[in-house]
Amino acid sequence: ARSLRLAGVGLALVALAIALGVAVGAVASAVRHAPSPASLSVGKAVSLQVEPVRGSCNSVFVVTATGPVQGSGTLLYRWARSDGEQSASTALSVTAHDGSFLITQHWQLGGQVSTPSITFQLLSPVAMTLTRSLQYSCP
């Protein structure tokens, strides 16, 4: 009777070990095949808009960069101006629910400025540079 009890306990331990192994394998497989968060991609239709179209002394130009995005992640960008000023690289968090980005920059021009322009540099997830001339005159 004692050997039958030991055999039953041994069989139960073997069955438990098999069940545990199957459960661990199923969890590992689920983790391996779980959908990963979508990485961020930017469409090619990125554009720069400038308001006002023409400016004079002390005009404040508002430059807007817009573009389509898909997925989620971080958009890294910076602005550069023809007068040599450049912003720091800036991160914009994008969620899977966003379909586009909109980033603005203000630049007040005063006095004589020759051929002013502003550049939007998309650094990540893709490298892209867009430059727009500003129509400006100040006697």
Side-chain angles (χ1 to χ4, degrees), residues 63-111:
V63 186
T64 305
T66 59
V69 292
Q70 187 172 16
S72 60
T74 301
L75 193 78
L76 190 62
Y77 68 92
R78 74 174 158 233
W79 294 96
R81 301 183 333 198
S82 58
D83 66 358
E85 292 293 320
Q86 181 171 304
S87 72
S89 297
T90 305
L92 174 67
S93 181
V94 176
T95 70
H97 301 290
D98 298 328
S100 63
F101 69 87
L102 185 142
I103 302 166
T104 59
Q105 175 72 20
H106 296 78
W107 186 12
Q108 182 172 13
L109 290 148

Side-chain angles (χ1 to χ4, degrees), residues 3-138:
S3 61
L4 282 177
R5 220 176 311 150
L6 286 176
V9 169
L11 188 56
L13 287 175
V14 168
L16 182 61
I18 290 172
L20 184 60
V22 168
V24 168
V27 168
S29 177
V31 167
R32 221 174 327 164
H33 298 298
S36 61
S39 61
L40 181 64
S41 65
V42 176
K44 295 185 187 291
V46 176
S47 66
L48 278 183
Q49 302 300 321
V50 177
E51 289 293 328
V53 175
R54 292 186 182 281
S56 58
C57 295
N58 297 314
S59 290
V60 175
F61 287 91
V62 179
V63 186
T64 305
T66 59
V69 292
Q70 187 172 16
S72 60
T74 301
L75 193 78
L76 190 62
Y77 68 92
R78 74 174 158 233
W79 294 96
R81 301 183 333 198
S82 58
D83 66 358
E85 292 293 320
Q86 181 171 304
S87 72
S89 297
T90 305
L92 174 67
S93 181
V94 176
T95 70
H97 301 290
D98 298 328
S100 63
F101 69 87
L102 185 142
I103 302 166
T104 59
Q105 175 72 20
H106 296 78
W107 186 12
Q108 182 172 13
L109 290 148
Q112 294 293 329
V113 179
S114 64
T115 61
S117 66
I118 193 161
T119 300
F120 175 73
Q121 298 172 328
L122 186 56
L123 306 171
S124 177
V126 63
M128 187 181 298
T129 300
L130 297 154
T131 300
R132 196 68 178 283
S133 294
L134 305 179
Q135 301 301 313
Y136 171 78
S137 64
C138 186

